[in-house]
Amino acid sequence: MNREFLKDLLSTPSVSGYEEAIQQKALAYGKAFAHAQLTDPSGNAVSIVNPDAAHRVLLCGHIDEIGFIVTHIDDSGRLHLAKAGGVSPRLYIGSPVQVWHEGSKVNGIIATSSDLVKKEKIDVSDLLVDIGAASKEEAAAAVAVGDMVCADVPVRELMNDCFTCRALDDRTGAFVVLEAAREAAQQGASLGIYAATTTGEETTGRGAYHAAARLKPHCCIAVDVTWASDAPGTNPGDTGEVKLGGGPVLCMGSAVNKPMNALLKQVAEELDMKVQWEIAGGRTGTDGDTVNQTDEGIPMALVSIPLRYMHSSVEVGSWKDIEDCVRLLSTFLVRLSQELDKGFDFRPVRP
């Protein structure tokens, strides 16, 4: 597994709505194994294995991250912000950030004060970015309204093959989608594999809709992160017991196709691989929801990567979990190729 490529993705800012630079990297990586590639007006990047195959599976891993957009530069030269995605403003007080202006990085810090940290509720309007400018004019020479802002947190290795960085949600899933397609191609999968690094999941869901509506796949696997219940303040009783390092997470829920889930479980057993389960009583909160309701309805299963401290700048993941997700998904794609040739039926109820 190419860890350095994932680290490169993690070092590339892609606040939701500003994914162009990272998508160029996804396309460059996919070019080594894909038989064809395409993009679309939403900014998706799709690397395709076996584009002429009769059966098509869409793999979705969203490549956008939560962050901020500059809305105003005040007279003091500080930047005001709007949220892009599910940001918790309190977590960013006093944090270093990157402001990206026309492809160039400007360093900044979220201002802090004793009064601010004592506030019961912190809104995004309370956050001001200090880039060191002494006036509005000086700041406006370096940055502009509409620039993206993200946390300035590099990849750091932790104990027990864990690591931390911002935006593991869902760079890790986008990485798994590309790696699984590459490995499945090497293993001789015969179905059409459409490995899409999708845009806008954190804000609009536009990328998954554009991909599914245009490609019209026969089924979809969404790869995203899920809450690890071994983090402080979490409760396994909410959606299930999920541990970092415990393996890929499959989802039981009304949105998930049961025949696909059963085949994923069977493949994991044949690999002697432990999987974990989460419960989604309604929506899964992933690209899978969007794809599921696109066109005439697309059967969907969800493979998730355990994650601690989701939607913060210090998310923690496990290299082992990511490697196992790649192995499970690539082997599943080979098996699905065989089962589709034998008439695999996505219907859980048959006449």
Side-chain angles (χ1 to χ4, degrees):
M1 189 181 75
N2 192 336
R3 295 190 182 191
E4 292 309 310
F5 174 57
L6 177 53
K7 290 179 180 180
D8 187 27
L9 291 180
L10 289 166
S11 71
T12 308
S14 65
V15 172
S16 196
Y18 298 76
E19 302 98 340
E20 294 83 2
I22 200 168
Q23 291 290 46
Q24 291 296 333
K25 293 186 176 183
L27 287 168
Y29 190 74
K31 194 170 293 185
F33 66 83
H35 303 132
Q37 292 183 307
L38 60 83
T39 58
D40 61 32
S42 73
N44 289 323
V46 187
S47 294
I48 308 167
V49 176
N50 304 322
D52 298 324
H55 298 106
R56 299 179 300 281
V57 58
L58 174 63
L59 308 181
C60 281
H62 74 85
I63 206 155
D64 62 315
E65 64 176 292
I66 60 171
F68 304 94
I69 312 296
V70 176
T71 59
H72 174 63
I73 304 172
D74 65 27
D75 290 340
S76 69
R78 295 185 178 89
L79 316 181
H80 297 242
L81 305 172
K83 294 195 292 186
V87 177
S88 177
R90 181 178 294 278
L91 299 179
Y92 290 80
I93 297 173
S95 297
V97 294
Q98 303 173 5
V99 185
W100 284 87
H101 176 69
E102 297 180 352
S104 296
K105 181 179 73 170
V106 177
N107 292 319
I109 195 85
I110 301 288
T112 184
S113 69
S114 58
D115 289 339
L116 182 58
V117 297
K118 291 176 184 176
K119 285 190 66 173
E120 183 174 338
K121 182 181 179 183
I122 304 295
D123 296 314
V124 68
S125 58
D126 294 311
L127 303 185
L128 298 174
V129 179
D130 187 341
I131 62 172
S135 66
K136 181 174 186 175
E137 292 73 22
E138 189 175 20
V143 299
V145 168
D147 287 346
M148 69 169 168
V149 180
C150 66
D152 190 0
V153 179
V155 178
R156 290 187 174 91
E157 300 288 349
L158 303 178
M159 296 174 65
N160 295 314
D161 214 21
C162 295
F163 67 106
T164 182
C165 191
R166 72 170 211 291
L168 301 190
D169 176 11
D170 182 36
R171 301 289 172 67
T172 53
F175 172 77
V176 167
V177 159
L178 290 168
E179 281 288 86
R182 181 180 66 82
E183 291 197 7
Q186 291 177 348
Q187 295 170 25
S190 60
L191 81 168
I193 303 170
Y194 291 73
T197 51
T198 52
T199 56
E201 190 271 352
E202 297 290 1
T203 50
T204 63
R206 72 183 194 280
Y209 178 81
H210 278 243
R214 282 177 166 78
L215 299 174
K216 301 187 185 307
H218 295 92
C219 63
C220 170
I221 298 284
V223 184
D224 211 318
V225 297
T226 192
W227 297 93
S229 63
D230 60 357
T234 58
N235 181 6
D238 291 340
T239 57
E241 185 174 12
V242 173
K243 295 181 178 180
L244 215 67
V249 184
L250 304 183
C251 180
M252 284 186 272
S254 63
V256 179
N257 182 257
K258 289 182 178 178
M260 290 179 70
N261 242 9
L263 187 58
L264 279 163
K265 180 175 180 287
Q266 181 181 337
V267 169
E269 289 172 350
E270 292 170 359
L271 290 170
D272 197 25
M273 178 185 294
K274 292 182 179 179
V275 295
Q276 306 180 85
W277 291 91
E278 64 177 335
I279 307 301
R283 293 174 60 84
T284 66
T286 71
D287 273 344
D289 295 331
T290 302
V291 174
N292 198 206
Q293 299 184 47
T294 302
D295 201 39
E296 295 179 356
I298 297 169
M300 179 276 294
L302 175 62
V303 175
S304 294
I305 303 160
L307 185 70
R308 291 179 187 156
Y309 322 125
M310 192 190 302
H311 278 212
S312 77
S313 60
V314 291
E315 296 172 337
V316 173
S318 161
W319 287 113
K320 179 182 179 297
D321 288 335
I322 295 169
E323 290 171 354
D324 282 349
C325 283
V326 170
R327 188 159 64 102
L328 174 62
L329 190 50
S330 60
T331 307
F332 171 82
L333 291 169
V334 175
R335 174 61 64 81
L336 184 61
S337 298
Q338 299 165 353
E339 296 299 323
L340 285 168
D341 288 341
K342 293 186 290 187
F344 183 83
D345 197 334
F346 294 98
R347 295 175 297 172
V349 178
R350 306 170 193 176

